[in-house]
Amino acid sequence: MNPVQNFEIFAPKLVDRKEYFSSGHRACQGCGEVLALRHILKALGDDVVVANATGCMEIISSGYPQTAWEVPYVHVAFENAAAAASGVEAALKALRRKGRIADRYVKTIAVAGDGGTADIGLQALSGAMERGHDMIFFCLDNEAYMNTGIQRSSATPYMAATTTSPAGQAIPGQRTQKKNVPEIMVAHRVPYVATACPSYPLDLISKVKKAAAVKGPSYIHVFSMCPTGWRCASEITIKIGRLAVETGVFPLYEVERGKYRLTMEVPEKLRPVGDYLKLQGRFRHLTPSDIEKIQDQVNREWEILLNKVECLQPW
């Protein structure tokens, strides 16, 4: 089943109508992160505490004295989302044990951008996963430091132009490959790891619910389209997310106790990666040979993933 094709049929029954992230925030038009956040919170419901690192979603949602969050929320520094969520999770356990709060299960989540996950917050994230805290970490990956001026991060894709990796005669844009944080989390033996994209909302919601049911650490890497930083039209946000999946640039999969599974149907032969790149101004400097290099990389990574899906067994 392709959930997107059936979204209009199933959404009224499967998706919570209540909004836990209110309108009136300051996000850009077509922001993929906000859309992802709305789906994530709908999947989690009321019993949740959010620790949100500095980043796009904090800047646009919690300018004092206003807030868009309809659930308990704490803003923490750039590198602290996982560490703060670890403390919240431990505190909730202690308070329940001492009878200071009602004895009901409340999920703790940490939310950070790609900078607060792959760069500045990686140490805290690794520690929280290694200690086994009962929490979900969400990386909202828009592939650069967008709210501070579109600077590169270690999650910025190869040859993408940013303000600190400008394409020109000296360099062709970002010079390194995108850091694969989901694989780093799998190496931590986290019980549940997944990739998701708001262009496939039911797939995203299903993965959030799975992660919420895990009593232990989980990690979900959310591909979050950014029209401002990617230099594209805001009305094609959903289209770009689907193209990322259909070209193999960002495959949707989950890893349950080491067992890989693709969660979204893709064409038997992936679409050319150029279909995805040509819609974004950050790649407009690429030559045909540059696109061929990226195509080769995508093909190689896709084959590696398929091999894991076929061969690796759960631990």
Side-chain angles (χ1 to χ4, degrees):
M1 181 182 79
N2 184 339
V4 171
Q5 291 178 353
N6 296 284
F7 182 71
E8 293 181 358
I9 299 173
F10 292 110
K13 294 182 178 178
L14 298 180
V15 180
D16 190 345
R17 291 175 181 270
K18 184 177 178 181
E19 295 289 347
Y20 301 90
F21 192 79
S22 66
S23 59
H25 50 71
R26 301 173 179 84
C28 305
Q29 284 187 332
C31 176
E33 285 198 46
V34 165
L35 186 56
L37 206 51
R38 284 183 61 206
H39 293 318
I40 289 168
L41 293 177
K42 281 175 179 287
L44 292 169
D46 286 307
D47 288 335
V48 65
V49 177
V50 182
N52 181 202
T54 296
C56 286
M57 288 304 94
E58 178 269 322
I59 295 295
I60 61 96
S61 69
S62 59
Y64 183 80
Q66 299 170 327
T67 180
W69 298 83
E70 302 284 351
V71 294
Y73 168 87
V74 56
H75 163 227
V76 296
F78 222 142
E79 69 279 16
N80 289 348
S86 301
V88 169
E89 186 264 345
L92 288 173
K93 279 183 181 173
L95 291 172
R96 278 201 303 270
R97 186 175 67 247
K98 295 177 180 179
R100 301 280 295 276
I101 60 174
D103 187 18
R104 75 174 195 276
Y105 183 67
V106 177
K107 196 73 181 183
T108 303
I109 69 169
V111 179
D114 49 291
T117 302
D119 293 344
I120 305 171
L122 187 60
Q123 182 185 28
L125 171 60
S126 177
M129 297 295 107
E130 181 266 333
R131 292 190 299 271
H133 286 281
D134 184 10
M135 57 181 281
I136 312 171
F137 191 101
F138 292 97
C139 173
L140 302 180
D141 181 9
N142 58 20
E143 301 191 321
Y145 292 88
M146 296 306 183
N147 71 288
T148 54
I150 316 175
Q151 298 94 347
R152 69 162 294 278
S153 76
S154 59
T156 300
Y158 182 54
M159 290 194 188
T162 71
T163 54
T164 49
S165 60
Q169 293 184 343
I171 59 172
Q174 171 78 343
R175 288 176 286 184
T176 58
Q177 300 293 331
K178 182 182 178 75
K179 186 182 290 182
N180 194 334
V181 182
E183 283 300 311
I184 296 173
M185 292 299 102
V186 172
H188 281 69
R189 292 205 164 224
V190 174
Y192 186 78
V193 176
T195 62
C197 174
S199 296
Y200 298 86
L202 295 186
D203 179 72
L204 169 59
I205 289 171
S206 171
K207 288 170 177 171
V208 175
K209 289 183 175 179
K210 269 190 176 182
V214 172
K215 296 299 184 288
S218 300
Y219 176 86
I220 299 182
H221 197 97
V222 185
F223 189 74
S224 304
M225 301 71 72
C226 176
T228 303
W230 296 8
R231 309 300 189 201
C232 61
S234 58
E235 66 269 22
I236 63 170
T237 290
I238 300 301
K239 180 179 180 179
I240 286 188
R242 292 181 186 174
L243 283 171
V245 174
E246 292 170 1
T247 58
V249 169
F250 190 85
L252 295 182
Y253 64 94
E254 61 185 7
V255 188
E256 292 186 82
R257 298 191 178 277
K259 178 61 180 173
Y260 285 72
R261 186 176 76 87
L262 293 176
T263 61
M264 190 54 55
E265 293 177 0
V266 294
E268 188 172 337
K269 184 177 180 181
L270 296 176
R271 293 181 63 161
V273 72
D275 291 355
Y276 167 74
L277 300 175
K278 68 183 180 183
L279 296 177
Q280 304 172 54
R282 61 178 177 159
F283 294 116
R284 65 187 170 195
H285 58 284
L286 297 185
T287 64
S289 64
D290 293 334
I291 295 175
E292 192 61 32
K293 286 182 186 175
I294 295 175
Q295 183 70 68
D296 290 342
Q297 293 170 357
V298 169
N299 291 346
R300 185 165 57 251
E301 293 297 322
W302 178 249
E303 290 300 322
I304 291 173
L305 177 60
L306 291 183
N307 187 54
K308 290 176 180 175
V309 170
E310 183 177 347
C311 299
L312 294 186
Q313 298 300 314
W315 42 264

